[in-house]
Amino acid sequence: MTSPRRSGLGTNQEAVRRHNLGTLLRHLHGAGHMSRAELTSLMGLNRSTIAGLVAELESLGVSERAVPVGNVRQGAGRPSAGVRIAADGPYVVAVDLGVDRAVVARVGLGGRVLQRAQAPVHGEGEAWQVGSSVAALIRSVVADVPPVAPLVGIGISVPGMVRRSDGLIRLAPNLEWHDVSFGGIVLAALGLDIPVSLANDADLGALAEHRRGAGVGIDDLIYVSGNVGVGAGIITGGRRFEGAAGYAGEVGHLRFNPQGRPCHCGNRGCWETEVGAHAIAEAISCPADKVAQLDEVLEGFREPTPGLRDTGTALGQGLASIVNVFNPQVVVLGGYFRTLFPLVRAEVVAGLAERTLPAPLESVTLALPGLGSDSTLLGAAEIALEPLFVDPVAALGSALLDVRTALAG
Amino acid sequence: MTSPRRSGLGTNQEAVRRHNLGTLLRHLHGAGHMSRAELTSLMGLNRSTIAGLVAELESLGVSERAVPVGNVRQGAGRPSAGVRIAADGPYVVAVDLGVDRAVVARVGLGGRVLQRAQAPVHGEGEAWQVGSSVAALIRSVVADVPPVAPLVGIGISVPGMVRRSDGLIRLAPNLEWHDVSFGGIVLAALGLDIPVSLANDADLGALAEHRRGAGVGIDDLIYVSGNVGVGAGIITGGRRFEGAAGYAGEVGHLRFNPQGRPCHCGNRGCWETEVGAHAIAEAISCPADKVAQLDEVLEGFREPTPGLRDTGTALGQGLASIVNVFNPQVVVLGGYFRTLFPLVRAEVVAGLAERTLPAPLESVTLALPGLGSDSTLLGAAEIALEPLFVDPVAALGSALLDVRTALAG
DNA sequence: CCGTACCGATCACTCGCACAACAATTCTCG
DNA sequence: CGAGAATTGTTGTGCGAGTGATCGGTACGG
């Protein structure tokens, strides 16, 4: 479900055109609306070349002309005609699979959420049950999509380890899933056969924050997601760090306190036993059945408890290992850390400074997600959109038109 | 001293030619000797195109025709004329700066070591003293280079943290250097002005093992270097993982045992206090003044001592964190681990299996360096050669001809 | 011994981008 | 208020890079 990696191939002219068209669309996707003049300077190509590429995108129905937008005019000269994302252009379906709920959205280019729906899913539900719930949500978000708009694919964020080669969910501890082909289940429930991409939620959070959130323009960032488990998504050099099989970023099981609590992985004192949802809940004496609503509970606090302060210190100290090892420019704190961090910022920063080496410490910043709780959902949209940026013509050629009819038939 | 990162630029025809010429040379560098037919299928380009590129490389003096090499003929047909690296072609100078000695080599394309020299350097020597020793070694390895052979640049492997933006050595604990511009020092001692690239030794070990050692064809590997400190070099997706400023891979300070020995970084129980050279020396009761010769001492053992077994277990358990976080396909054990690992293989494997998550564990392999103790030296050569693969014409255009005269004048 | 297979060399062809000239539009300065 | 400067879109031309077909050369195999 993911394209194989490129080898040391040569480049021919066809590839040049594909690459340039895809890069132009990537820029448009990033900015949403821009002038041809901006594109010219960004891509370093000739004006005429940009004009040709823009014309091709328009004929593909991806972009449309816009009036010379009345933004700040910085100088003399003929105003540059705008290029903007077409209203009925290509879109994807993004699925954010959580432990207790699923969020589904129809997302267009530019990361615009066009429709959204969500529903609770049972914690220990069978995969096929969850799959049919998700399929129902997908049907609802595409209920009033215009027939001319092409569906490029589906992206799914999973709270677990996803094998890159085929998108198989190897292990989702909190869903109690082992080796589930969730992409196939959803497609079967829909009766469709379109591209489906799956990836780990933290990886997708990192991707979305890099493209549209707190990490725009930052090529080396880490998104640390605090939920029941703790995971990290890594962006390096502007690319996703996936590892050999797609499992990279399992920072939750870093050795933190060999005398600590037992972890479900079989060891003791893994970092996530000190800063995961259960540890946070314990620090604020939150009853076990309210751990799923930990966000709301945490928001009730104006001052941290001593237990929370300790959790904050542990969070900072664990982040120190991550910063030492990855040397990121920004660390984005997602999941429950998003509400925890503002409460115990001082302790986190102190724990980080205490254990990080001077050189990597001086260039790192801690940040909250710029996309709030939508990071993973928008990350799922990004991986589904990706084929458009590699080869727009091919991706649109294989996209699905008139989804409502296809779903009805 | 390192080229800036590429942004989302477009591709023009000039870039295509550069890229194809560089890619062809990269293949030739990897295989040393190949037929045009192989190049055709590897790069996916037309025969005529390959012929044109090969002709250009020949006119640049980089490659030369070889007789249809008498290797295994797999089928009928006219034998494909060979392409091989030119005898008097471009070369680089590689420097492996160790704690107690420096190795300098003249290295040609294909990673061939053409000349080599080494000398002891004082542990706490001033940087300029070490620089002039290295300069003398460089003079000796280029003493009988033919005048027509161009010198592309110098690559230096450093046992410390190197800032990527300018090659500044931020910290080399065992040399007791802070913020040393060693590249500039060496150039000044030589009286030359040519490109110098510096990088961390573990990073370069990883690069060399990926290109020419135990990791050929492996796109996700980690080279863990055990010396006085412990560091890691990471290759992901076939690229170096450097982090925002170049400091990525500092695994030696991963938290291992919070009640453990104090580390020079100010914390307690960092992993390198358990598996670094001093810990190994302690495990075998090696006197402190022989730590520099730990390799030879270790080679004297046929059976591991109980202390070494414990070190092996700690090594495996620490590697587990690395495997969980990076999900590599291969972990190469360099430095002192190269002699330690065969002694305590069982303990390392057991420690790794005990603490690694099942999914990343199933795809990882432990390996010894395919290049022996030359990994870092050849990695230094690789970064110096890199400009040739990005743009052969430009790199050769700015290369230095007739080095002997330039050094004399 | 001859047919087949494979490779190198050559040349016309296609395609994509760069360049130059011109038109359109706005700003600025006198 | 008007002319020139500045910037951008448009169009046609040219260059360069890779493609594809053809021919000739060399080896293998029956």
Side-chain angles (χ1 to χ4, degrees), chain B residues 13 16-17 20 45-49 76-79:
Chain B
Q13 303 189 144
V16 168
R17 184 69 172 184
N20 285 346
L45 297 179
N46 197 284
R47 278 192 312 206
S48 341
T49 309
R78 173 175 174 175

Side-chain angles (χ1 to χ4, degrees), chain B residues 36 50 63 101 125 151 169 262 286 324 332-334 371 390-391:
Chain B
R36 300 152 87 126
I50 296 295
S63 71
R101 56 120 187 73
L151 171 58
I169 300 178
C286 168
N324 281 339
V332 180
L333 295 164
L371 302 171
V390 175
D391 186 347

Side-chain angles (χ1 to χ4, degrees), chain B residues 77-246:
Chain B
R78 173 175 174 175
S80 188
V83 184
R84 81 167 163 227
I85 294 158
D88 292 344
Y91 67 95
V92 296
V93 168
V95 178
D96 179 11
L97 197 58
V99 175
D100 57 343
R101 56 120 187 73
V103 183
V104 174
R106 185 164 79 85
V107 182
L109 278 167
R112 218 152 59 92
V113 175
L114 304 166
Q115 239 111 29
R116 172 196 287 263
Q118 72 177 66
V121 297
H122 307 301
E124 287 89 26
E126 296 281 333
W128 69 265
Q129 290 175 315
V130 177
S132 70
S133 302
V134 167
L137 290 171
I138 292 177
R139 285 174 193 274
S140 78
V141 298
V142 298
D144 27 300
V145 53
V148 295
L151 171 58
V152 175
I154 300 178
I156 304 181
S157 162
V158 179
M161 302 175 88
V162 178
R163 186 159 67 193
R164 177 175 53 185
S165 56
D166 56 0
L168 184 78
I169 300 178
R170 289 300 310 282
L171 174 66
N174 305 311
L175 294 168
E176 298 187 11
W177 287 2
H178 297 261
D179 293 329
V180 171
S181 174
F182 191 67
I185 290 173
V186 170
L187 284 186
L190 287 172
L192 294 182
D193 183 22
I194 58 176
V196 179
S197 310
L198 293 94
N200 173 268
D201 54 356
D203 284 354
L204 295 180
L207 181 63
E209 290 294 327
H210 168 60
R211 296 252 175 104
R212 339 195 59 84
V216 170
I218 310 288
D219 274 350
D220 300 271
L221 73 86
I222 296 196
Y223 177 95
V224 181
S225 158
N227 287 304
V228 177
V230 176
I234 302 127
I235 300 285
T236 173
R239 295 158 178 265
R240 289 170 62 196
F241 182 115
E242 301 182 272

